[in-house]
Each structure stands twice: as structure tokens, then as C-alpha cells.
Amino acid sequence: MSATAPPEIEKALADADAEFARLDDALAQCSDGDLHRGHFDGGWTPAEVVSHIHVCVIMWLGNLRRLECDPDLRFFYREAIGHDLTGFPPPTVAEARGQLETTRRTMATAGGVLTDELAARVVEIPDLGTMTVQEWTPLIVGHAAMHVGQALTVMENRGFGPYASTSGDAS
């Protein structure tokens, strides 16, 4: 892949890199404890901001992959770019179902599109281990699928959805 980015993207990348370098220089002067101290008025800690930056960039790159594999894709939920922020209206059932549908579509169109070279690439995930993409993928996908049980357990515990109480006591 030797595609050249348009000038406005190259500029945005360079500007972001300069800002990230500025943040890295500041972080180099912090202790581990400082990293987890929030503003006196509340809000995120520097650690949370760095995590958000990381997730937003990784998600955007993942979205580019989604676009490559699904030429009909034309819509992203804000969560797909790392912006499910406090204060936004909570999703409706229709939006949650739409998010699940777009996840299923992405898994179907992009989840299995791997070159042999990419599948064989070795990747380390701290505290979890070092394996090939081919070995990691079923674990990552399985982890996501495992959360279905978590959501269903909440529904059962609270007595709604398929577990709605017929006695009217769904507190």
C-alpha cells in the first residue's frame, strides 16, 4: 500500500503528531499518580484523556477498514468514533438495535478479510500475551460475543425484555 494522503489529511496528521508530542513531553514530567488526578472542577484525568485519544484514533482507522470492505456503508454512530460522552442523550432501543446491526454487518463484511501476511503477524497485548492475528481474532470476537450474556443477565435481573415479569413486578 503506497497511497498518498491528500494534503489536508497530511496536514491534520502532522498537526496532531505535534500536539501528541507536546502531550508526551508533559507526561514525561508526571508521576504515575499524577496521571490519575483530575481537574479540581471534575472531569477526566490525563490518563482518561490519553485513553480517549488512543481509542478515537484506533476506531477511526477501523472505520476506514469498514469502508474498504463495505462499499455501501454510509453511516457511523458517534460511538464508532469514540464519542459516547456523558451528557449525550442515552440511546433509544432503535439506536441500540441499529448499533448491533452495524456491528453484525461489519463483522460479516470486514471481520474475515485478512491476508495471509496479516493473519500471521505477531501482536503483543500487555497482560494477555503474544499471539498471531489469526490466534487473537477468535478470542477478541468471542469476548465481544460473551457480552451478549452480560446484557441478557441484566435484563433477567431487572425483569424486562424477554424476561419481563407477567406479574407486573418488574422493579
Side-chain angles (χ1 to χ4, degrees), residues 11-163:
K11 181 179 181 340
L13 292 169
D15 290 350
D17 188 60
E19 286 298 299
F20 297 159
R22 193 164 72 101
L23 178 56
D24 186 52
D25 289 344
L27 290 172
Q29 300 173 45
C30 294
S31 71
D32 288 345
D34 292 335
L35 192 61
H36 303 284
R37 296 173 66 186
H39 192 280
F40 288 121
D41 293 333
W44 289 5
T45 67
E48 291 168 326
V49 172
V50 169
S51 179
H52 179 69
I53 291 167
H54 177 75
V55 167
C56 288
V57 170
I58 298 303
M59 291 177 87
W60 183 249
L61 294 174
N63 284 321
L64 296 180
R65 174 66 176 201
R66 292 172 65 201
L67 289 167
E68 285 177 332
C69 294
D70 187 352
D72 295 328
L73 181 61
R74 300 274 186 274
F75 177 86
F76 294 142
Y77 286 93
R78 67 177 179 262
E79 293 85 355
I81 62 165
H83 274 272
D84 184 21
L85 298 176
T86 303
F88 275 125
T92 63
V93 168
E95 288 168 333
R97 293 187 72 213
Q99 291 169 331
L100 187 57
E101 174 54 32
T102 195
T103 300
R104 294 178 71 201
R105 181 179 178 132
T106 296
M107 294 293 293
T109 59
V113 180
L114 299 174
T115 63
D116 291 341
E117 180 182 351
L118 183 58
R121 173 101 47 93
V122 175
V123 177
E124 177 184 358
I125 300 176
D127 303 323
L128 297 179
T130 302
M131 296 190 290
T132 65
V133 169
Q134 186 169 342
E135 293 167 318
W136 276 121
T137 299
L139 296 174
I140 301 296
V141 171
H143 172 85
M146 176 275 309
H147 284 292
V148 169
Q150 181 182 17
L152 294 175
T153 297
V154 171
M155 290 179 193
E156 182 176 18
N157 176 262
R158 300 294 292 170
F160 65 87
Y163 306 105

